Amino acid sequence: MGLKIHQQGFSTKTAQLLMALVCLMVGWRSGAAQDADMPAMDLSGETVVVYNPEYAQSRELAQYYAEKRGIPADHLIGLDCPIDDSMSRQEYDQMIRKPLFEAFVRRGWWKLTQKQVKDQQTGKDVPAMVVEESSVRVLVLMRGIPFQIRRDVQNPQNAKEDEASVDSELCLLGLAKQPLAGALRNPYFDQGMRFQMYQGTPGLMLVGRLDAPDSDTVKRMIDDAISTEQLGLRGRAVIDLAQKTGAYQEGEDWLTRSAILFREQGIPVFIDKDEPLIADHWPLPDTALYFGWYASTVSGALASPSFRFMPGAIACHLHSFSGAAIRASGQHWVGPLLRQGAAAALGNVFEPYLSLTVHFDVLNKRLLEGYTLVEASWNATPVLSWMNLVCGDPLYRPYAKGPGSSMGEGRARDYALYQGTARRFPQADSRELKKTLAEMAESRSKPHLLELTAMLSASEGKNLEAIELLEHAESLY
């Protein structure tokens, strides 16, 4: 699978003029408050952090995160395991799966019971010890824990591969033993409830990872997530289409539905409708959400040395190996996205097949509803024991604050004003919305609001209108 995304349907001349005008609008920072009807449901007391004492700063990062999130000190577990990115299936079983299982039982976090379960090989019912009650719902893997389990069986049938991410495999740690070949159905997929309310599968855990090209980036990811929660994630969404059809239409649909969700919630959206990646000279100020697909390696605007995500940003470029080198700052996607300032990035360690990877529309729906990063990510992923992973603070709730929260100052206030105004108008007719925003920008001397209004016009294909709005904004600065 190769995946990616692209640019507004402008003529070359129009696009150049739009870009030139946008480039005149300089110095920016953030926002869009969000309805979050979901209760807080603090998961910190039900979270366990795993680190590798053999890996430099892994223990220190685990302690730093636990202190910041109020996770009990006895919920930290050190596992001696390879310091490499990958490990064999035997190493995983002996150095991660078995000692973690035993630690959960020994510390009283799991209550086991014997039940009859179906043997996947024979189809017969056999006795097995399974988790009946669990006081742990979230597992955090700290930088230093391997993230790839290598293939055992060579030349398998398609969709019967036995390689996996350590993270996805550990989601099933408390469940009865399952076959290694192929993906397993995720019972939490697209469930319309927070994970604490979900009681369907005792022993199921949600696994996230605090990992990145370096330890300083991991600390920054933690700090950005916690500080962003205080006000809410503010900024623009960027959707980079790849113009794929046929068997790949599903990926385009996820992105299109995500753009609709963002607009419904008053988040300004830039939609790149061209097949190539967004060009490196294209300005993407205040990017708080990025979703694209199909390119194998980061390039274009997101790879530009001048580009930086908003603090707390969530980014994902869907590709078969987007998460194959998360500790490398210049390979694939997850590492580079985190290097460029994102607080969280999702990826795949091996070929996941399109339909079995994260569904962007479900992910963004859950984030906007106030779910944590780890809840939204696995709620949007249809399978487990597969290739997916989530890099970022698992407990991060970017839209935990409702619309009554503080609007902030400067550009953050502009995003809050835009959002509050946009949500009062129906999707079908944006004329009144744009008129109201333009009047507000004029009366309050807020040219930035005109820029955001111009993005709305551009997304509707009204490029001349967008240019006029940008010219008006320039005159007000």
Side-chain angles (χ1 to χ4, degrees):
M1 180 183 73
L3 304 121
K4 92 176 184 206
I5 296 188
H6 309 50
Q7 205 161 336
Q8 301 288 356
F10 306 144
S11 68
T12 301
K13 185 175 181 179
T14 303
Q16 289 174 343
L17 178 55
L18 272 172
M19 185 186 71
L21 286 169
V22 174
C23 285
L24 293 173
M25 320 304 181
V26 293
W28 333 39
R29 286 232 173 226
S30 112
Q34 191 60 46
D35 262 298
D37 297 327
M38 296 289 173
M41 293 188 182
D42 183 16
L43 286 163
S44 59
E46 299 175 85
T47 298
V48 168
V49 183
V50 180
Y51 64 90
N52 183 355
E54 300 300 315
Y55 198 98
Q57 295 187 285
S58 186
R59 184 198 302 268
E60 291 82 352
L61 288 171
Q63 293 170 337
Y64 182 83
Y65 177 66
E67 181 180 350
K68 288 285 186 177
R69 281 296 186 189
I71 296 169
D74 63 356
H75 279 217
L76 273 63
I77 298 176
L79 293 180
D80 293 322
C81 51
I83 62 174
D84 299 324
D85 294 351
S86 67
M87 62 196 317
S88 68
R89 176 65 63 173
Q90 182 179 16
E91 287 174 323
Y92 166 76
D93 285 340
Q94 294 180 351
M95 306 178 81
I96 293 183
R97 186 190 64 79
K98 183 179 178 182
L100 267 187
F101 189 101
E102 292 174 349
F104 275 49
V105 175
R106 184 172 62 251
R107 300 190 186 199
W109 298 332
W110 278 349
K111 179 181 177 182
L112 302 181
T113 187
Q114 182 170 293
K115 288 187 176 180
Q116 294 291 116
V117 300
K118 182 168 291 187
D119 186 291
Q120 299 296 324
Q121 303 296 327
T122 65
K124 297 179 180 180
D125 289 340
V126 296
M129 297 300 293
V130 298
V131 175
E132 183 179 45
E133 295 179 12
S134 174
S135 61
V136 174
R137 294 182 180 273
V138 177
L139 188 63
V140 185
L141 305 180
M142 198 56 60
R143 174 175 162 82
I145 299 295
F147 51 88
Q148 293 173 324
I149 303 174
R150 297 189 295 271
R151 178 179 296 182
D152 262 358
V153 178
Q154 300 306 310
N155 302 315
Q157 297 178 11
N158 286 345
K160 292 295 184 181
E161 295 87 353
D162 61 7
E163 63 262 39
S165 76
V166 170
D167 311 43
S168 183
E169 204 70 75
L170 282 174
C171 290
L172 300 170
L173 180 65
L175 276 59
K177 189 175 181 181
Q178 302 287 330
L180 296 179
L184 300 173
R185 185 184 69 86
N186 176 8
Y188 186 55
F189 174 61
D190 206 15
Q191 295 289 322
M193 65 186 74
R194 298 286 303 278
F195 193 56
Q196 283 179 315
M197 303 296 292
Y198 175 72
Q199 302 296 327
T201 311
L204 182 68
M205 292 190 297
L206 304 183
V207 181
R209 170 178 295 270
L210 278 161
D211 212 334
D214 55 70
S215 295
D216 288 342
T217 298
V218 173
K219 276 192 174 182
R220 191 264 306 156
M221 291 159 62
I222 296 168
D223 294 341
D224 283 356
I226 293 173
S227 62
T228 299
E229 285 179 344
Q230 303 308 307
L231 190 63
L233 183 58
R234 306 287 178 90
R236 310 181 185 192
V238 174
I239 300 291
D240 194 358
L241 298 171
Q243 298 301 335
K244 298 297 177 183
T245 57
Y248 294 96
Q249 184 62 48
E250 185 178 20
E252 296 284 308
D253 292 343
W254 296 341
L255 290 163
T256 301
R257 286 195 289 266
S258 293
I260 294 171
L261 280 169
F262 294 144
R263 184 175 168 185
E264 286 176 346
Q265 295 301 322
I267 299 173
V269 187
F270 172 70
I271 306 172
D272 179 20
K273 297 179 181 178
D274 288 343
E275 185 176 349
L277 286 178
I278 300 172
D280 57 6
H281 56 272
W282 193 268
L284 294 174
D286 300 351
T287 300
L289 296 157
Y290 166 79
F291 295 93
W293 76 311
Y294 215 79
S296 61
T297 303
V298 64
S299 60
L302 295 184
S304 172
S306 63
F307 174 77
R308 192 75 177 170
F309 282 105
M310 288 296 295
I314 297 174
C316 182
H317 190 96
L318 182 57
H319 187 268
S320 299
F321 301 96
S322 53
I326 59 180
R327 294 171 191 159
S329 62
Q331 296 181 40
H332 303 296
W333 281 94
V334 171
L337 291 173
L338 297 173
R339 176 202 62 194
Q340 295 291 72
L346 283 65
N348 307 296
V349 300
F350 299 112
E351 166 63 70
Y353 303 104
L354 177 58
S355 62
L356 302 185
T357 191
V358 60
H359 292 202
F360 289 147
D361 52 345
V362 180
L363 169 71
N364 287 310
K365 185 176 188 295
R366 298 309 180 204
L367 288 172
L368 291 167
E369 288 174 343
Y371 285 49
T372 63
L373 173 69
V374 76
E375 288 174 307
S377 299
W378 290 111
N379 192 276
T381 305
V383 295
L384 301 172
S385 186
W386 202 233
M387 318 302 177
N388 326 79
L389 54 74
V390 182
C391 279
D393 176 359
L395 304 184
Y396 176 34
R397 294 180 70 205
Y399 294 103
K401 296 290 184 180
S405 60
S406 172
M407 294 180 69
E409 300 296 334
R411 294 175 68 82
R413 189 174 187 85
D414 291 348
Y415 283 107
L417 285 170
Y418 181 94
Q419 182 182 41
T421 306
R423 294 180 65 186
R424 297 202 307 268
F425 290 86
Q427 278 283 92
D429 187 359
S430 64
R431 289 175 296 179
E432 286 300 314
L433 168 60
K434 288 184 282 191
K435 179 182 176 182
T436 301
L437 287 169
E439 291 173 352
M440 185 183 299
E442 190 77 45
S443 64
R444 303 191 185 193
S445 189
K446 285 188 171 292
H448 185 215
L449 280 179
L450 288 175
E451 295 179 50
L452 302 181
T453 309
M455 286 178 59
L456 176 57
S457 294
S459 71
E460 296 171 333
K462 299 175 181 177
N463 300 325
L464 292 178
E465 182 178 274
I467 290 171
E468 290 175 359
L469 286 164
L470 289 171
E471 288 174 335
H472 189 188
E474 182 188 4
S475 70
L476 290 180
Y477 269 107

